[in-house]
Amino acid sequence: MLQGHGDDSYRYVQKIIADFSTNVWFGGEPAGLKDYIFEQWSAINRYPEVMAESLSELAASHHHLNPDQVLINSGTTESIYLIAQAFSGKKTTIVTPAFSEYEDACKLYHHDLTFLPWSKIQEFPTLSTDQVFICNPNNPTGAVFPQLENWVQQNPETLFIVDEAFIDFTVQDSSSIPLINQYRNLLVMHSLTKAYAIPGLRLGYVVASEDLILKLKSIKQPWTVNTMALQAGKFIFENYHQIQIPLQDLLSEKERFSQRLGQNSSLKINRSATHFFLAETLKDDASKLKQFLIKKHGLLIRDASNFRDLTKQHFRIATLSPEKNNLLIEALDEWRNY
């Protein structure tokens, strides 16, 4: 899907005052990252590392793994398409609602697709497909599935492709990466853009068994991770403990924000374990609400109606600063009487 994602403010003439459509950390990149990158500026006069090998070593060391178990990519989207290509034609299940790129990539590489609603996985279903894509925490709902290991264990013939792009935004679940050496049917995708606010640099990685990583490397194009993204990744791992987001404060504000929106009779607010959450407008549909907020208030939300299993009323909101959150609260109060 080339269109229909969040963070599409570039498409509007109207100035966007606050962007609630993107679930990237609103506080900007870590202090010191910009200066560090520009100190490395002369490196752009040379080709980057073919496979971002030095960053693979740092990521592997961070997770106490072998570098051959890590593959650095140009964002999670490259990881998704590489995986879909590597397993072209396989029977694949996607847990829904889900990031559209899982389905788009699998269709491109002729997968035999089935879809499994999130509510059904609580029953630990036995899978008859070759692989399953699951986002945990889930995008767009913010739900977590903390019993994932049990499901992986009960389906040893199915490859579990776990997207952990938002694992840094929850306290209700922990990463599955420590399980990699225990389960060969587990592959984890991790993002370095969401929590560190650098989505424009495109940076992420895959963690899996050496055999799976070798399979992905065999079809990966060279130089997909540019020099500045590579340097940003090095800064992140070298300063990891000093640059984490203030998660407890962010989630506390999410609770205040969502509870206040829940008092609006024209809305239904869904529970979430992350800083973003789904809502439903009980008046008109999300596309009309989106246009109202842009034109009247310069505020941007994510129309979530194009997610499989959601409705025309669904939209996604990310928590920003209290001041900006209050702008949306007031605008949605106006929408109720509009």
Side-chain angles (χ1 to χ4, degrees), residues 175-187:
S175 174
S176 294
I177 290 178
L179 303 175
I180 287 295
N181 286 329
Q182 188 174 349
Y183 300 100
R184 298 188 68 81
N185 62 323
L186 177 63
L187 180 155

Side-chain angles (χ1 to χ4, degrees), residues 27-126:
E29 76 280 356
L33 174 59
K34 181 178 178 180
D35 290 340
Y36 178 87
I37 288 178
F38 280 100
E39 287 172 3
Q40 318 298 321
W41 187 255
S42 62
I44 69 168
N45 300 134
R46 302 183 300 276
Y47 280 95
E49 297 169 11
V50 173
M51 291 281 185
E53 292 89 343
S54 62
L55 186 53
S56 291
E57 292 178 3
L58 283 175
S61 177
H62 177 79
H63 293 294
H64 308 291
L65 296 171
N66 187 308
D68 290 334
Q69 294 176 283
V70 177
L71 180 61
I72 307 295
N73 290 320
S74 180
T76 298
T77 298
E78 186 192 4
S79 300
I80 293 167
Y81 279 82
L82 270 178
I83 293 163
Q85 182 182 358
F87 298 99
S88 177
K90 296 291 187 179
K91 292 182 178 179
T92 300
T93 296
I94 298 174
V95 179
T96 60
F99 185 42
S100 63
E101 301 301 335
Y102 310 148
E103 182 175 349
D104 291 350
C106 287
K107 284 181 175 178
L108 180 63
Y109 292 104
H110 312 293
H111 289 233
D112 180 4
L113 285 175
T114 56
F115 301 93
L116 182 64
W118 184 273
S119 59
K120 297 294 185 181
I121 67 175
Q122 309 300 325
E123 304 166 6
F124 302 112
T126 299

Side-chain angles (χ1 to χ4, degrees), residues 14-15 17-18 292-299 327 330-332 334-335:
Q14 172 117 10
K15 180 181 178 182
I17 298 171
F292 166 83
L293 291 171
I294 292 171
K295 293 177 180 178
K296 295 283 187 177
H297 299 277
L299 305 178
L327 293 177
E330 294 169 5
L332 288 170
E334 183 179 326
W335 166 256

Side-chain angles (χ1 to χ4, degrees), residues 116-137:
L116 182 64
W118 184 273
S119 59
K120 297 294 185 181
I121 67 175
Q122 309 300 325
E123 304 166 6
F124 302 112
T126 299
L127 298 170
S128 58
T129 49
D130 299 308
Q131 55 194 34
V132 57
F133 278 88
I134 178 170
C135 189
N136 190 41

Side-chain angles (χ1 to χ4, degrees), residues 160-293:
F160 282 75
I161 302 161
V162 183
D163 185 350
E164 291 188 347
F166 302 101
I167 198 70
D168 297 315
F169 293 97
T170 185
V171 294
Q172 294 187 24
D173 198 15
S174 56
S175 174
S176 294
I177 290 178
L179 303 175
I180 287 295
N181 286 329
Q182 188 174 349
Y183 300 100
R184 298 188 68 81
N185 62 323
L186 177 63
L187 180 155
V188 179
M189 300 185 293
H190 199 93
S191 172
L192 288 174
T193 64
K194 306 295 191 301
Y196 306 108
I198 53 170
L201 283 178
R202 314 305 307 130
L203 188 63
Y205 56 96
V206 174
V207 179
S209 69
E210 293 180 9
D211 289 344
L212 286 174
I213 294 298
L214 186 61
K215 188 177 182 70
L216 297 180
K217 283 181 177 179
S218 70
I219 58 172
K220 180 178 168 66
Q221 297 179 23
W223 305 307
T224 64
V225 179
N226 71 71
T227 298
M228 294 297 98
L230 179 61
Q231 297 301 332
K234 290 181 178 180
F235 179 90
I236 289 168
F237 283 116
E238 289 170 354
N239 298 274
Y240 183 81
H241 294 292
Q242 291 76 44
I243 61 173
Q244 297 307 298
I245 61 174
L247 182 57
Q248 291 290 354
D249 292 343
L250 181 62
L251 293 178
S252 294
E253 174 58 17
K254 187 282 297 279
E255 287 301 312
R256 181 199 74 87
F257 183 30
S258 59
Q259 288 178 13
R260 178 61 181 81
L261 289 175
Q263 298 171 13
N264 187 323
S265 60
S266 69
L267 303 175
K268 177 182 177 182
I269 306 300
N270 296 326
R271 295 291 299 169
S272 164
T274 65
H275 70 304
F276 60 87
F277 52 95
L278 275 182
E280 298 170 59
T281 175
L282 306 179
K283 172 185 175 181
D284 290 327
D285 58 41
S287 63
K288 292 180 180 177
L289 172 57
K290 179 178 179 178
Q291 293 305 314
F292 166 83
L293 291 171

